[in-house]
Every structure is written in C-alpha cells, then in structure tokens.
Amino acid sequence: MAMSNDQIFSPGSARANRPFRGPRPQGPIIDQEGREIREESLGPQARGFRIDFGNSSANPFANLTREQRLARLDALAKLLDIAFIVPGTNIRYGIDGIINLIPVVGDIITTAISLWLVREARALGAPWHVTARMLGNVAIQGVVGTVPVAGDAFDVMFRANIRNVRLLRRWMDKQPG
C-alpha cells in the first residue's frame, strides 16, 4: 500500500519525526530474485538492519592481492601525474597539476594524496629506505610546489607519484614469490 502525500509531507507523521522507525512495513519481504521470504526465517540481524561492507564483494578496499593494490596505486599515480596532454606538445600533466593551481589548499590536498600513496606502500611491506625515498619525493614536490608559478611547472615535470610507484614496483619485483 502506497503512502499518500499527506502522510509523507505532514510534519506530525511518524515518518517525519522518526525516519526509518515508523510503523511496521506492509507487504511481503522479497529477496533479490523476487521470491517471498517468510518473516520467521529472518534472523535477529535483520531486525536492526545494518549493512556490513567489511565482508562484501562490493567493498573496493576489501581483501585485494598485492598486485591489485599496486595496480590501484599505479592508476592513481597516472591520474595524478600524467592523465592529460597539453595540446600540440608532448607535455603530460595530471589532476595534481590542476589542483595545485589553487593556492595553498591545492598543495595541501595533493600532498595528502601523495602521502596516502606512501602509506599504502608501507602497508604493502615496503622497507624504511624505500618509504624514506618516497617521502623525500613528496617533500620535494610539496615544498617546491608552494612557489607560485615555478612550483606549478615543477609539479608537472617532477611527477613524484609516478616516481614513488616506480620505486615501489622495483622493490616488489625483487621480492621472492
């Protein structure tokens, strides 16, 4: 049974005062294939209704293999550093170069994303000397990038994220099995 407009919009209705806690739903409970589910067969977990993405295949950050995580980092680095080409030239730039055009805030955002990439490398087991070089690349890009015009040009040419993924990939290729 559908709700009338008065039930939906009236400020005194149970739906307006307590969203998701109104009267019991009417009609059958249906699964994804369209089959009716008896209410008695539902366990106590259905009463509180919560979604658990930790064990779901819908979670993009779920249990990925090392190679899948490295591919994700590689794709992010390419998006940040070399996603676009300046028309008529071979100069490549990425979203990093565009975001850095915003004074101060852009540098903070792109440095934070680059630091997340380093954190992911550490989570993949990269040793201190690899992560130290990666942090050095991020620091160079972050510090020089704060210079108004020359820093933006340097960000486009230095490509710290691509360098960092290359460092990580070289280290991972040397690892056994």
Side-chain angles (χ1 to χ4, degrees):
M1 177 177 167
M3 295 177 71
S4 69
N5 287 341
D6 293 335
Q7 289 173 317
I8 294 171
F9 295 118
S10 68
S13 71
R15 184 174 175 91
N17 292 335
R18 299 181 317 156
F20 307 110
R21 291 192 182 136
R24 291 181 49 86
Q26 298 176 351
I29 300 171
I30 299 173
D31 68 2
Q32 291 178 349
E33 284 78 36
R35 295 184 302 250
E36 187 174 338
I37 301 173
R38 292 189 336 244
E39 193 169 334
E40 304 84 48
S41 67
L42 295 174
Q45 72 274 11
R47 296 194 204 326
F49 184 73
R50 84 182 165 80
I51 299 174
D52 181 18
F53 286 110
N55 299 318
S56 171
S57 62
N59 184 0
F61 302 108
N63 303 323
L64 299 176
T65 65
R66 289 171 61 110
E67 195 56 41
Q68 289 171 328
R69 289 175 78 179
L70 187 59
R72 182 180 65 186
L73 295 178
D74 191 38
L76 178 64
K78 286 179 181 176
L79 178 68
L80 287 169
D81 289 343
I82 59 171
F84 311 108
I85 299 175
V86 175
T89 68
N90 283 336
I91 299 173
R92 299 184 71 90
Y93 66 98
I95 293 176
D96 191 332
I98 297 169
I99 295 173
N100 278 336
L101 292 175
I102 304 168
V104 182
V105 175
D107 293 316
I108 292 170
I109 291 170
T110 57
T111 302
I113 295 170
S114 296
L115 288 173
W116 178 81
L117 209 144
V118 175
R119 185 197 103 24
E120 281 291 301
R122 190 70 183 144
L124 284 169
W128 69 270
H129 59 87
V130 173
T131 54
R133 285 186 63 190
M134 292 173 78
L135 285 170
N137 288 337
V138 172
I140 289 169
Q141 182 174 346
V143 170
V144 177
T146 58
V147 178
V149 176
D152 295 331
F154 179 80
D155 279 344
V156 169
M157 296 303 181
F158 186 65
R159 301 178 181 153
N161 299 306
I162 293 288
R163 288 173 185 257
N164 287 344
V165 170
R166 202 173 292 145
L167 277 169
L168 180 62
R169 189 172 290 277
R170 265 192 242 129
W171 173 79
M172 285 182 75
D173 288 344
K174 293 178 185 176
Q175 301 308 305

